[in-house]
Amino acid sequence: MIPLYLLLALFATILAPTSGEPVGVCYGMMGNNLPSKPDTIALFRQNNIRRVRLYDPNQEALNALKNTGIEVLVGVPNSDLRSLTNPSSARAWLQNNVLNHYPAVNFKYIAVGNEVVPSNGGGDVLPAMRNVYDALRGANLQDRIKVSTAVDMTLIGNSFPPSAGEFRGDVRWYIDPIIGFLTSTNSVLLANIYPYFSYIGNPRDISLSYALFTSPNVIVWDGSRGYQNLFDALLDVVYSAVERSGGGSLPVVVSESGWPSNGGNAATFDNARAYYTNLAARVRENRGTPKRPGRGVETYLFAMFDENQKNPEIEKNFGLFFPNKQPKFPIAFAGVREGTAVE
């Protein structure tokens, strides 16, 4: 007999739209009860997850990803940034963690740092990015694999209305040159966007339905642009901030977004299910945002599993799957054609 959770997952896949962006998933590994790396990558394939974010170049995971076709966003840990300001170290890092696995591993992005605090190591980020890019160029892969860094919303100063989005004045020395580099190399900005944290930080002015994609009507008007969900508003804040920092129409990839199912305010199973399923559907629709309509929004859901070694408590409960590999709720990660799941 097929387990119920597999039937639910299959049902969700069959009902998926016929086109649109595949939904990526962040693969965090901070748990002592998680499946093996090969079993986890097999779970990706079983659930038609075609994009993965790795926070470090875990060799076992990379070996399991070989010849799967899954697109990979691989991270340079913050602890490695200082060493990569040395060009030879950057070349060695690229050789050991990317080139030795390419093309069997389908690398798409290299995230040089994640949520680096500008005042704590920020000066290392752009030199490390340049050195990794130069190493890629030496291998003639600079157009195939893009170099970026992942930022969070703490860098934003003004966030309302979305068209007034702007980075904080005290971080412009950090972010503006990065955006210039990303623009000159035809790359993307990676942004971790969490309506959950915006909501719990201001529940008086932000409704839960606006944060969970369940509002039936427009909640915020910004000139002629109407916002029915907070995710679109936050993404347009980032687009506006990028423009004000000289980035023009630089694409933004949502490198993390999620909602916890336990451990904090509004962190319930039902809220997490609503957020993840509605966000996945919104990504697959491929419809863009009010500010940039018609452009797909590449997005990575955070995270594959609950991770029991993270802190604080709420950080343990962002998983789409339990450690026993059963899904918390059915999510369609990719579209289908003519009623058949895409392999």
Side-chain angles (χ1 to χ4, degrees), residues 248-265:
S249 58
L250 178 72
V252 175
V253 169
V254 180
S255 44
E256 286 183 19
S257 193
W259 195 287
S261 59
N262 199 3
N265 294 339

Side-chain angles (χ1 to χ4, degrees), residues 176-188:
D176 285 15
I178 287 175
I179 288 172
F181 171 78
L182 297 175
T183 301
S184 69
T185 57
N186 295 312
S187 188
V188 302

Side-chain angles (χ1 to χ4, degrees), residues 182-202:
L182 297 175
T183 301
S184 69
T185 57
N186 295 312
S187 188
V188 302
L189 178 65
L190 304 172
N192 300 339
I193 295 178
Y194 284 89
Y196 171 75
F197 291 113
S198 298
Y199 168 72
I200 65 169
N202 188 13

Side-chain angles (χ1 to χ4, degrees), residues 38-313:
D39 283 354
T40 297
I41 300 308
L43 189 63
F44 268 75
R45 300 186 73 185
Q46 291 160 15
N47 286 274
N48 206 14
I49 302 171
R50 302 186 207 160
R51 290 173 172 160
V52 60
R53 179 180 181 183
L54 299 177
Y55 290 90
D56 65 84
N58 181 280
Q59 298 299 299
E60 191 177 2
L62 290 173
N63 285 329
L65 282 161
K66 287 181 177 177
N67 303 311
T68 64
I70 295 172
E71 294 178 342
V72 178
L73 190 175
V74 65
V76 175
N78 293 357
S79 57
D80 290 349
L81 293 178
R82 175 59 58 86
S83 68
L84 297 197
T85 61
N86 179 299
S88 64
S89 296
R91 288 192 295 270
W93 188 94
L94 189 77
Q95 184 66 54
N96 293 334
N97 300 306
V98 175
L99 301 183
N100 286 352
H101 298 279
Y102 180 85
V105 174
N106 186 17
F107 291 104
K108 187 173 188 181
Y109 306 112
I110 299 173
V112 181
N114 180 55
E115 298 184 351
V116 173
V117 177
S119 60
N120 184 21
D124 294 333
V125 175
L126 185 54
M129 291 173 69
R130 290 189 186 280
N131 287 338
V132 171
Y133 175 82
D134 287 343
L136 273 173
R137 189 168 57 182
N140 200 30
L141 291 175
Q142 75 278 9
D143 294 326
R144 173 67 184 83
I145 304 170
K146 295 300 183 178
V147 176
S148 187
T149 190
V151 302
D152 64 17
M153 297 297 286
T154 65
L155 300 188
I156 296 292
N158 188 35
S159 62
F160 190 85
S163 61
E166 189 169 12
F167 291 111
R168 288 171 16 215
D170 64 322
V171 302
R172 294 289 290 268
W173 67 269
Y174 166 75
I175 193 64
D176 285 15
I178 287 175
I179 288 172
F181 171 78
L182 297 175
T183 301
S184 69
T185 57
N186 295 312
S187 188
V188 302
L189 178 65
L190 304 172
N192 300 339
I193 295 178
Y194 284 89
Y196 171 75
F197 291 113
S198 298
Y199 168 72
I200 65 169
N202 188 13
R204 186 188 70 178
D205 296 325
I206 299 174
S207 69
L208 184 61
S209 62
Y210 186 53
L212 293 177
F213 300 89
T214 56
S215 172
N217 304 304
V218 169
I219 299 297
V220 171
W221 284 100
D222 182 3
S224 62
R225 298 175 187 143
Y227 290 87
Q228 205 165 331
N229 68 79
L230 183 55
F231 177 89
D232 281 4
L234 292 174
L235 182 52
D236 276 355
V237 167
V238 177
Y239 285 142
S240 296
V242 166
E243 289 177 2
R244 284 187 169 82
S245 288
S249 58
L250 178 72
V252 175
V253 169
V254 180
S255 44
E256 286 183 19
S257 193
W259 195 287
S261 59
N262 199 3
N265 294 339
T268 68
F269 181 90
D270 287 343
N271 286 348
R273 176 178 57 192
Y275 184 78
Y276 284 116
T277 55
N278 290 332
L279 175 56
R282 183 249 174 279
V283 171
R284 293 192 316 267
E285 286 173 5
N286 208 29
R287 60 175 169 77
T289 66
K291 184 176 178 66
R292 293 190 183 177
R295 299 188 185 187
V297 180
E298 184 174 345
T299 301
Y300 293 78
L301 305 187
F302 183 87
M304 189 65 174
F305 298 113
D306 286 342
E307 297 173 69
N308 65 4
Q309 293 179 317
K310 296 193 75 172
N311 283 298
E313 185 67 23

